[in-house]
Amino acid sequence: MLSDTPGLHHVTGIVGDAQAAIDFYSGVLGLRLVTQTVNFEDILQHHLYFGDANGTPGTVLTHFPDPHGDPGRPGTPQIESVSFVVPPDALEYWKTRLEDRDIAVEGPLERFDERVLRFEDPAGTGIGLVASPPIPSGVEIWTAGPVPAEHAIRGLHGVTTLSVNPYATAGTLETLGFEHDAEDGDRIRYRASGSRATVVDVLDRDAPFGREGQGTLHHVAVRVESEADLHEWRELFDDRDYDVSRVKDRHVFHSLYVREPGGILFELATETDGIAASEGSEEPGESLFLPEWFEADRDLIESQLPELTVPTDRAPTGRGENR
């Protein structure tokens, strides 16, 4: 018997400039640059992993920087936005921090029983900060960044989807183990049973067709226990005529991809203790990590990629804002 997923593993988007992404996600949002590596499907492009101190599944947002790609266009079928958890009393801090950096902020908005801030990253990716007790378990807050620990992001909250067939997307979520939780207008919430990163909202609304590109979210990954489970999931989805990939070795986890009938791309990824930071390095993500099968091409790869710098600002020791 396949086990229900306990929640999200990671979310992956597309940005334009890699350094701008690091400056925003590490320098503004205070996430750890857990790893800089390459896109395994295109080794001459970076793949950046941001998360908590360990890159714990359920805290990680990754990005493919594509400096030569076209801007994306929001629409269906896409993941409309990604949201993070912050402490219940942190929204005022975050609203001030973002607006002081000329980032337009909407909210706080009321959504179900939660308060939410909405804004965009430099590429136009939709982001939410959700003030939501209780604080997720199993998260190791990154305390060496620019955001004081009492306000810091506690991991992923969830994603919002714009599907061409919301009923089909809902059916896929139920197959994975999510349960219908609540409805608010055209927003239907599904929730997994774990303790972190458990929310997928399905929007049942008319929307134009989108275009993948800078500022869009490419896929959402959910957690599964083992590689053996992935092979069982692959057989199940194949039997149902879903568009499903083979099981792939992503070095720090194994995964497969499935495009469900509503058009949303899901990844199923194995649980790990953390998505490894750059090995042998005192600073997070300061050097390019390559799996062993790419090491022979390191000189070529590094010659084609821009050199990246991790922000060195640190949070003040007392309470308050680091400006």
Side-chain angles (χ1 to χ4, degrees):
M1 292 288 292
L2 286 168
S3 299
D4 292 344
T5 179
L8 305 190
H9 188 282
H10 66 272
V11 180
T12 294
I14 303 170
V15 294
D17 183 74
Q19 187 62 57
I22 293 173
D23 291 345
F24 180 78
Y25 285 98
S26 290
V28 177
L29 295 191
L31 299 173
R32 184 182 189 188
L33 178 59
V34 181
T35 299
Q36 56 166 299
T37 184
V38 293
N39 182 343
F40 287 5
E41 311 302 329
D42 182 355
I43 62 172
L44 299 184
Q45 285 191 347
H46 273 109
H47 191 182
L48 307 176
Y49 288 69
F50 302 92
D52 74 349
N54 299 321
T56 305
T59 74
V60 175
L61 177 69
T62 89
H63 276 297
F64 299 130
D66 184 7
H68 306 297
D70 293 328
R73 182 178 61 241
T76 60
Q78 284 183 5
I79 301 165
E80 185 260 356
S81 61
V82 58
S83 57
F84 296 93
V85 173
V86 296
D89 58 353
L91 290 189
E92 182 179 351
Y93 166 89
W94 278 106
K95 187 175 178 70
T96 299
R97 180 174 178 82
L98 294 167
E99 290 180 341
D100 282 352
R101 289 155 177 81
D102 296 322
I103 298 168
V105 181
E106 183 182 4
L109 308 171
E110 298 292 331
R111 182 180 298 162
F112 299 107
D113 59 348
E114 299 164 340
R115 298 170 67 238
V116 184
L117 295 179
R118 284 181 56 94
F119 54 97
E120 294 180 349
D121 76 1
T125 310
I127 302 172
L129 295 180
V130 181
S132 177
I135 299 301
S137 65
V139 175
E140 186 69 28
I141 298 169
W142 178 235
T143 58
V147 177
E150 64 266 29
H151 302 305
I153 287 172
R154 265 58 175 172
L156 294 172
H157 177 267
V159 295
T160 298
T161 65
L162 265 175
S163 170
V164 296
N165 186 339
Y167 296 100
T169 301
T172 301
L173 289 170
E174 290 172 351
T175 297
L176 291 168
F178 289 81
E179 294 186 355
H180 179 274
D181 184 62
E183 297 187 20
D184 183 4
D186 60 5
R187 182 180 295 269
I188 303 97
R189 173 154 295 182
Y190 286 82
R191 190 181 296 273
S193 60
S195 61
R196 63 182 182 273
T198 59
V199 169
V200 176
D201 286 350
V202 179
L203 296 178
D204 185 7
R205 66 174 64 156
D206 291 331
F209 282 101
R211 180 181 63 210
E212 185 176 282
Q214 298 174 11
T216 64
L217 293 164
H218 185 265
H219 66 267
V220 55
V222 301
R223 309 199 299 274
V224 300
E225 185 174 341
S226 69
E227 185 182 354
D229 285 343
L230 287 177
H231 290 282
E232 291 191 50
W233 279 110
R234 189 194 184 285
E235 184 176 347
L236 182 149
F237 284 120
D238 189 52
D239 287 345
R240 297 185 181 183
D241 293 326
Y242 280 40
D243 182 7
V244 60
S245 75
R246 61 179 176 82
V247 174
K248 301 187 177 187
D249 182 356
R250 295 314 195 190
H251 184 69
V252 291
F253 56 85
H254 285 75
S255 71
L256 64 80
Y257 299 85
V258 58
R259 180 81 67 177
E260 52 87 23
I264 306 300
L265 182 61
F266 285 91
E267 182 180 7
L268 284 65
T270 52
E271 288 272 24
T272 67
D273 292 333
I275 297 174
S278 299
E279 298 176 4
S281 172
E282 294 181 359
E283 293 295 328
E286 70 175 10
S287 60
L288 181 69
F289 173 79
L290 295 176
E292 59 184 12
W293 56 87
F294 290 149
E295 272 295 343
D297 295 320
R298 176 176 286 274
D299 289 346
L300 169 65
I301 293 169
E302 290 187 332
S303 73
Q304 299 300 308
L305 294 176
E307 184 176 349
L308 303 178
T309 302
V310 181
T312 56
D313 288 348
R314 295 293 181 260
T317 54
R319 300 176 68 91
E321 168 70 6
N322 182 35
R323 298 183 187 277

